[in-house]
Amino acid sequence: MTVTLADIEAARRTIAAHVLRTPLLPAPPLSALTGAHVCVKYENLQVTNSFKERGACVKLAALTADERRRGVIAMSAGNHAQAVAYHARRLAIPATIVMPVTTPFVKVRATEALGATVVLHGETVTQAEARAEAIAAECDLVWVHPYDDAEIIAGQGTIALEMLEDRPDLDVLIVPIGGGGLIAGNAIAAHAIKPSIDIVGVECALYPAMWNAIRHGDRPCGGATLAEGIAVSKAGALTLPVVREHVSDIILVDEPLIERAVNAFLTLQKAMAEGAGAAGLAAMLAAPERFAGRKVGLILCGGNIDPRILASVMVRELERADRIVSFRLTIPDRPGVLGQIASRLGELGANILGVDHHRLFLDVPAKGAKLDVTMETRDGAHAEEIFRALAAEGYRPMRLEGGAALA
Amino acid sequence: MTVTLADIEAARRTIAAHVLRTPLLPAPPLSALTGAHVCVKYENLQVTNSFKERGACVKLAALTADERRRGVIAMSAGNHAQAVAYHARRLAIPATIVMPVTTPFVKVRATEALGATVVLHGETVTQAEARAEAIAAECDLVWVHPYDDAEIIAGQGTIALEMLEDRPDLDVLIVPIGGGGLIAGNAIAAHAIKPSIDIVGVECALYPAMWNAIRHGDRPCGGATLAEGIAVSKAGALTLPVVREHVSDIILVDEPLIERAVNAFLTLQKAMAEGAGAAGLAAMLAAPERFAGRKVGLILCGGNIDPRILASVMVRELERADRIVSFRLTIPDRPGVLGQIASRLGELGANILGVDHHRLFLDVPAKGAKLDVTMETRDGAHAEEIFRALAAEGYRPMRLEGGAALA
C-alpha cells in the first residue's frame, strides 16, 4: 500500500459536501504559553466532534453497491464508532459497532442514536476486536479498521491539505499518534506539498507503541490515561513505515501534561479538547525549546471528554495553581470558633468552599477538634498569607492535598 | 448619532489586521437540540475571548494624536476592560481601567497583564463609573464607553457583515443585549445588507432594561446572574432607538436556561461560552417554536467564564439529567454494611463518587446510622432501578438534592 498525494486530493473531493472544512486559527494565548506561533485546527467542531469522520466518510464512499448492501462493522469505544455510525446512516449503509462492555453508557447511547447496532462484548478492546472479526466473518460484513486502511489514511490526510492551504507558512505539524492513521495521512500530504515541513508525533507515555516500534524500544503499554483516544498498544502495519519515513520525532507526554493541556485549551482558548485532542499542546509543554519561535500547527483532533472528568480536571488545575487550597486546623471544640475562623478568612479575602469537622483524631485533646477548610484564594502568595495568619492565631494550620472538603 | 452601513464597512477596514475574522460554522448538534438550522459565530476565539475587541479597536484607532498621548479610561469588570487594555497596548496608548473592588482577582490580573493601570473602586459598577468619570476629568483622559458610542457600535456591527458574507441565507440573528452596543451595530449592518432578516434580542430575565425601555415596562433589575456580561440596568441612549427600529422581539431568559445553554455549548458543540455568550442559545430553548425550521445565526459573543463556576454548571447539569444522584440510606451501624452496599451498587452498575456517614440524626436508632451515597448513573431509569433495589433490601432510600456527598 502506498497512499499518495493524489489519493488524499481525491479523498478531499469525496468529503467536500459531507465533512466540515474546519477552521485553522491563530491561538495567541497558546502562543504566549508556549513561546511558539501556534495555529489550531478545530477538528472538535465536526458533527461527531472528531477528525475520524474524514476517514470513515472516504472508506464508506469507496464501497461497492454489494458491500453497502451487506453493511459494515467496526470496533471502537470512541470517536471511530460515532464517525462510522454517522456516515453509514447518511449513506444508508447498515452499521454494527462492537464496543467493550466497559464503554461508558453515554458513548453507547450516542452511537445507537446515530442508527448503529451496538454489540457490547469483552472486557478489553482485544476481546471486542476478536468478537467483531467473528461477526464480520459470520455475517459477511465489511470491516472498517480505525487506522490500518489506505482509504482511512487518505481521508485523515485531508486535514494537512486544508491547513497548508490556509497557512502555507507553517514550519511544524504536531500530530497525535494512536494507531498512526492521522499522522500517516497528514505526513504524506504535508511532505508532498511542502517537503521542508517538520512532522512531529505525540504519544501518551503510557502507550508508547509507535515509539517502541520506531526505536526498537520495549517500554510497557498500559494504564488509565486521560488520552484514551490514543491508547493503542500496537503500531499499525500500514502506518509504521510512513511514520518511519516522514516523522522526525515522537514526543511522549505524561498524564499531568495532558491534563494541563486539556485545561489550557479550555481556559485560554475556550475550546473543549479530549486528552488525545490536547496531546499536541502537551508535547509543546513537554519540549518547549523544540518549538520556540516556530510556526506550529496543532490538530485539536477530538473534543469528546466526559463532562465529569473535565470538571474534575478544571478543579484540579485550580488546586495546582493555588487558587483552591485546603488547610487542616486544630481548634478548641466550643461555640463560636467556626464563626471566628470564617470571619477571619473573609477578612483575608478567602472564599470558603467547604468545611469538615473531625473530632475523632487522636492527636487532638478530647475537647479539641480538627477542621478542614477548603477555600478559593487568589494565588500562591495569597494562600501563604492566609496560612501565616492562621498560624499566628494558634490554629496550627497544615496544608492538605486535593481540596479535602470539596470532591 | 446615526451609525450607517458605510461606518461599519469603514470599521471593518480598520480592524482587518488587528481583530480575528472569526469562523461562522454550522452546529448540527445545536440544530438537533433546537429544531432550527443553527450557525455559530465564534467570537470567543478573539485574543481576549470576546467580541468587545471590535469596538475597542475602532474607537482607539479613531483617536487623534493628542488624545492618544493623553490616554484612555474605561470602567468595566469584564470583557470591555481586557479589550480596551489589549488594543491600547498595541497602539501604545496609556490605558486606565476602573473596576469595582468586588471584581474577581483573576480578571484584575488579566487586565494588568495587558499593560493597563487598574484602579479598584466602589462596591458597584455605578460607584466605579463615578470614580472613572472623576479620574477622566482630573487627568484629561478619553472616555471609552462600553456601548453608548458611535465608533463602538460601528465596530461591533462588523460581526453581521462577516456573518452575511459567509451565509447570506440566514433568516434570523439572535443577539444578546447588555447596554445594546452589540445588537445596535449588528442590526444596522444586517438590515442594510438584507432588509428581510429578523433581528431578535436576548436579555437575562434579571436585567430586562432594554425590554422595559421598549415596552414601557417596569420589571426590576438586579440579582446574581451567570450572564454578568449582559447584566446592565439601563438601556443605552444611542442604542435604544436603534433597537426600537430594528429589533422584532426581545426574549428574556432565566438562569436555568442560561445554565443549560452554557452546558449545551460545552457538551454538544465543544465550545466554552460565558453566560452572556450562551444567551442566544438560551433564547432558542426558551422559545423553540419562534425559530423552528429557520436559519439562525447565533453570536457566541464571549467565552470568559470562571473555571470553578463552569465545573459546577457541568456537574449540576449531570444531576439534572440524573447522571449523578444522591440517596440517603438508613443502615444498621455495624461492620460490613458499607461493603455490602458498595458491592450491591457495583453490581447495579452505579459508580460511587462519594459517601458520608451520619450518626447523630434522631430519626434513626442509636445503633443505626444514615449513609449519604452519591453515584454516577446512566440516566433516570437507571437511577430509579437502583432506588428500587435499595428499597427492596431495606435501606429505606431517600433521594437527596444536589450531589450531597460531592461538593
Side-chain angles (χ1 to χ4, degrees), chain A residues 353-396:
Chain A
L353 301 176
V355 167
D356 237 342
H357 267 88
H358 304 277
R359 289 194 171 73
L360 299 177
F361 292 155
L362 290 178
D363 62 341
V364 286
K367 288 202 167 171
K370 297 262 177 175
L371 186 74
D372 291 349
V373 189
T374 298
M375 65 199 85
E376 217 174 357
T377 51
R378 290 195 296 266
D379 52 22
H382 188 206
E384 182 58 30
E385 178 194 335
I386 292 164
F387 185 93
R388 281 197 308 267
L390 293 169
E393 298 185 18
Y395 294 118
R396 293 165 49 197

Coordinates of all heavy atoms in Angstrom, one line a residue, chain A residues 353-396:
Chain A
L353 N -15.2 27.4 50.4 CA -15.9 26.4 49.6 C -16.5 25.2 50.3 O -17.5 24.6 49.9 CB -15.0 25.9 48.4 CG -14.5 27.0 47.5 CD1 -13.5 26.4 46.5 CD2 -15.6 27.8 46.8
G354 N -15.8 24.8 51.4 CA -16.2 23.7 52.1 C -15.6 23.6 53.5 O -14.4 24.1 53.7
V355 N -16.2 22.9 54.4 CA -15.7 22.8 55.8 C -16.1 21.4 56.3 O -17.1 20.9 56.0 CB -16.5 23.8 56.7 CG1 -16.2 23.5 58.2 CG2 -16.0 25.3 56.4
D356 N -15.1 20.8 57.0 CA -15.3 19.5 57.5 C -14.8 19.4 58.9 O -13.6 19.8 59.2 CB -14.6 18.4 56.6 CG -15.5 17.4 56.1 OD1 -16.6 17.2 56.6 OD2 -15.1 16.7 55.1
H357 N -15.6 18.9 59.9 CA -15.1 18.8 61.2 C -14.6 17.3 61.5 O -15.2 16.4 61.0 CB -16.3 19.0 62.2 CG -16.3 20.4 62.7 ND1 -17.0 21.4 62.0 CD2 -15.8 21.1 63.8 CE1 -17.0 22.5 62.7 NE2 -16.2 22.4 63.7
H358 N -13.6 17.2 62.3 CA -13.1 15.9 62.7 C -12.9 15.9 64.2 O -12.2 16.7 64.7 CB -11.8 15.4 62.1 CG -11.9 15.5 60.6 ND1 -12.4 14.5 59.8 CD2 -11.5 16.5 59.7 CE1 -12.3 14.8 58.5 NE2 -11.8 16.0 58.5
R359 N -13.6 15.0 65.0 CA -13.4 15.0 66.4 C -12.8 13.7 66.9 O -12.4 13.6 68.1 CB -14.8 15.1 67.1 CG -15.4 16.5 66.9 CD -16.5 16.8 67.8 NE -16.9 18.2 67.7 CZ -17.5 18.8 66.7 NH1 -17.8 18.0 65.7 NH2 -17.7 20.1 66.7
L360 N -12.5 12.8 66.0 CA -12.0 11.5 66.5 C -10.5 11.3 66.3 O -10.0 10.3 66.7 CB -12.8 10.4 65.8 CG -14.3 10.4 66.0 CD1 -15.0 9.3 65.2 CD2 -14.6 10.2 67.5
F361 N -9.8 12.3 65.7 CA -8.4 12.2 65.6 C -7.7 12.1 67.0 O -8.1 12.9 67.9 CB -7.8 13.4 64.8 CG -8.2 13.4 63.4 CD1 -8.2 14.6 62.7 CD2 -8.6 12.2 62.7 CE1 -8.6 14.6 61.3 CE2 -9.0 12.2 61.4 CZ -9.0 13.4 60.7
L362 N -6.7 11.3 67.2 CA -6.1 11.1 68.5 C -5.1 12.1 68.8 O -4.7 12.2 70.0 CB -5.6 9.7 68.6 CG -6.7 8.6 68.7 CD1 -6.1 7.2 68.7 CD2 -7.6 8.8 69.8
D363 N -4.6 12.9 67.8 CA -3.6 13.9 68.2 C -4.2 15.2 68.6 O -3.5 16.2 68.6 CB -2.6 14.0 67.0 CG -3.4 14.6 65.7 OD1 -4.6 14.4 65.7 OD2 -2.7 15.1 64.9
V364 N -5.5 15.3 68.9 CA -6.0 16.5 69.5 C -6.6 16.1 70.8 O -7.0 15.0 71.0 CB -7.1 17.1 68.6 CG1 -6.5 17.8 67.4 CG2 -8.2 16.1 68.2
P365 N -6.7 17.1 71.8 CA -7.3 16.8 73.1 C -8.7 16.4 72.9 O -9.4 16.8 71.9 CB -7.2 18.1 73.8 CG -6.4 19.1 73.0 CD -6.2 18.4 71.7
A366 N -9.3 15.7 73.8 CA -10.7 15.2 73.7 C -11.6 16.4 73.5 O -12.7 16.3 72.9 CB -11.1 14.5 75.0
K367 N -11.3 17.6 74.1 CA -12.1 18.8 73.9 C -11.7 19.6 72.7 O -12.2 20.7 72.5 CB -12.1 19.6 75.1 CG -12.9 18.9 76.3 CD -13.4 20.0 77.3 CE -14.4 19.4 78.2 NZ -14.7 20.3 79.3
G368 N -10.8 19.1 71.9 CA -10.4 19.8 70.7 C -11.0 19.1 69.4 O -11.7 18.2 69.5
A369 N -10.7 19.7 68.3 CA -11.2 19.1 67.1 C -10.3 19.6 65.9 O -9.4 20.5 66.1 CB -12.6 19.6 66.8
K370 N -10.4 18.9 64.8 CA -9.7 19.3 63.6 C -10.7 19.9 62.6 O -11.8 19.3 62.5 CB -8.9 18.2 63.0 CG -7.8 17.6 63.8 CD -6.5 18.2 63.5 CE -5.4 17.6 64.5 NZ -4.1 18.0 64.1
L371 N -10.4 20.9 61.9 CA -11.3 21.5 61.0 C -10.6 21.6 59.6 O -9.5 22.2 59.5 CB -11.6 22.9 61.5 CG -12.7 23.6 60.7 CD1 -14.1 23.1 61.0 CD2 -12.7 25.1 61.0
D372 N -11.1 20.9 58.6 CA -10.6 21.0 57.3 C -11.4 22.1 56.5 O -12.6 22.0 56.4 CB -10.8 19.7 56.5 CG -9.9 18.6 57.1 OD1 -9.0 18.9 57.9 OD2 -10.1 17.5 56.7
V373 N -10.7 23.1 56.1 CA -11.3 24.2 55.4 C -10.8 24.3 53.9 O -9.6 24.4 53.8 CB -11.1 25.6 56.0 CG1 -12.0 26.7 55.4 CG2 -11.4 25.5 57.5
T374 N -11.7 24.2 53.0 CA -11.2 24.4 51.6 C -11.7 25.8 51.1 O -12.9 26.1 51.4 CB -11.9 23.3 50.7 OG1 -11.4 22.0 51.1 CG2 -11.5 23.5 49.2
M375 N -10.8 26.5 50.5 CA -11.2 27.9 50.1 C -10.6 28.3 48.8 O -9.6 27.7 48.3 CB -10.7 28.9 51.2 CG -9.2 28.9 51.3 SD -8.6 29.6 52.9 CE -8.7 28.1 53.9
E376 N -11.2 29.3 48.2 CA -10.7 29.9 47.0 C -9.8 31.0 47.3 O -10.1 31.9 48.1 CB -11.9 30.4 46.2 CG -11.8 30.3 44.8 CD -13.1 30.7 44.1 OE1 -14.1 31.1 44.9 OE2 -13.2 30.7 42.9
T377 N -8.6 31.0 46.7 CA -7.6 32.1 47.0 C -7.2 32.7 45.7 O -7.5 32.1 44.6 CB -6.4 31.5 47.8 OG1 -5.9 30.4 47.0 CG2 -6.7 31.1 49.2
R378 N -6.4 33.8 45.7 CA -6.0 34.5 44.5 C -4.9 33.8 43.8 O -4.8 33.7 42.6 CB -5.7 35.9 44.8 CG -6.9 36.7 45.2 CD -6.6 38.2 45.1 NE -5.6 38.6 46.1 CZ -5.9 39.1 47.3 NH1 -7.1 39.2 47.7 NH2 -4.9 39.4 48.1
D379 N -3.9 33.3 44.6 CA -2.7 32.7 44.1 C -1.9 32.1 45.2 O -2.3 32.2 46.4 CB -1.9 33.7 43.2 CG -1.6 35.0 44.0 OD1 -1.6 34.9 45.2 OD2 -1.3 36.0 43.3
G380 N -0.7 31.6 44.9 CA 0.2 31.0 45.9 C 0.5 32.0 47.1 O 0.5 31.6 48.2
A381 N 0.8 33.3 46.7 CA 1.2 34.3 47.7 C 0.0 34.5 48.7 O 0.2 34.6 49.9 CB 1.6 35.6 47.0
H382 N -1.2 34.6 48.1 CA -2.4 34.8 48.9 C -2.6 33.6 49.9 O -2.9 33.8 51.1 CB -3.6 35.0 48.0 CG -4.8 35.4 48.7 ND1 -6.1 35.2 48.3 CD2 -5.0 36.1 49.9 CE1 -7.0 35.7 49.1 NE2 -6.4 36.2 50.1
A383 N -2.4 32.4 49.4 CA -2.6 31.2 50.2 C -1.6 31.2 51.3 O -1.9 30.9 52.5 CB -2.4 30.0 49.3
E384 N -0.3 31.6 51.0 CA 0.7 31.7 52.0 C 0.4 32.7 53.1 O 0.6 32.5 54.3 CB 2.0 32.1 51.3 CG 3.3 32.1 52.1 CD 3.6 30.8 52.9 OE1 3.2 29.8 52.3 OE2 4.1 30.9 54.0
E385 N -0.2 33.8 52.7 CA -0.5 34.9 53.6 C -1.6 34.4 54.6 O -1.6 34.6 55.8 CB -1.1 36.1 52.8 CG -1.6 37.3 53.6 CD -2.4 38.2 52.7 OE1 -2.2 38.2 51.4 OE2 -3.3 38.9 53.2
I386 N -2.6 33.6 54.0 CA -3.6 33.1 54.9 C -3.1 32.0 55.8 O -3.4 32.0 57.0 CB -4.7 32.5 54.0 CG1 -5.4 33.6 53.2 CG2 -5.7 31.6 54.8 CD1 -6.3 33.1 52.0
F387 N -2.2 31.2 55.3 CA -1.5 30.2 56.2 C -0.9 30.9 57.4 O -1.0 30.5 58.5 CB -0.5 29.4 55.3 CG 0.1 28.3 56.0 CD1 -0.4 27.0 56.0 CD2 1.3 28.5 56.8 CE1 0.2 25.9 56.6 CE2 1.9 27.4 57.5 CZ 1.3 26.2 57.4
R388 N -0.1 31.9 57.1 CA 0.6 32.6 58.2 C -0.3 33.2 59.2 O -0.1 33.2 60.4 CB 1.6 33.6 57.6 CG 2.9 33.0 57.0 CD 4.0 34.1 56.8 NE 3.5 35.2 56.1 CZ 3.6 35.3 54.7 NH1 4.2 34.4 54.0 NH2 3.1 36.4 54.1
A389 N -1.4 33.8 58.7 CA -2.3 34.5 59.6 C -3.0 33.4 60.5 O -3.2 33.6 61.7 CB -3.4 35.2 58.8
L390 N -3.3 32.3 59.9 CA -4.0 31.2 60.7 C -3.0 30.7 61.8 O -3.3 30.4 62.9 CB -4.5 30.1 59.8 CG -5.7 30.5 58.9 CD1 -5.9 29.4 57.9 CD2 -6.9 30.7 59.8
A391 N -1.7 30.6 61.4 CA -0.7 30.1 62.3 C -0.5 31.1 63.4 O -0.4 30.7 64.6 CB 0.7 29.9 61.5
A392 N -0.5 32.4 63.1 CA -0.3 33.4 64.1 C -1.4 33.4 65.1 O -1.2 33.8 66.3 CB -0.2 34.8 63.4
E393 N -2.6 32.9 64.7 CA -3.7 32.9 65.7 C -3.8 31.6 66.4 O -4.8 31.3 67.0 CB -5.0 33.3 64.9 CG -4.8 34.8 64.4 CD -6.0 35.4 63.8 OE1 -7.1 34.9 64.0 OE2 -5.8 36.4 63.1
G394 N -2.8 30.7 66.2 CA -2.8 29.5 67.0 C -3.6 28.3 66.5 O -3.8 27.3 67.2
Y395 N -4.0 28.4 65.2 CA -4.8 27.3 64.7 C -3.9 26.1 64.1 O -4.5 25.1 63.6 CB -5.8 27.8 63.6 CG -6.8 28.7 64.2 CD1 -6.9 30.0 63.7 CD2 -7.7 28.3 65.1 CE1 -7.9 30.9 64.2 CE2 -8.7 29.1 65.7 CZ -8.8 30.4 65.2 OH -9.7 31.2 65.7
R396 N -2.6 26.3 64.2 CA -1.7 25.2 63.7 C -2.1 24.7 62.3 O -2.3 23.5 62.2 CB -1.6 24.1 64.7 CG -0.9 24.6 66.0 CD -1.1 23.6 67.2 NE -0.8 22.2 66.9 CZ -1.2 21.2 67.6 NH1 -1.9 21.4 68.7 NH2 -0.9 20.0 67.2

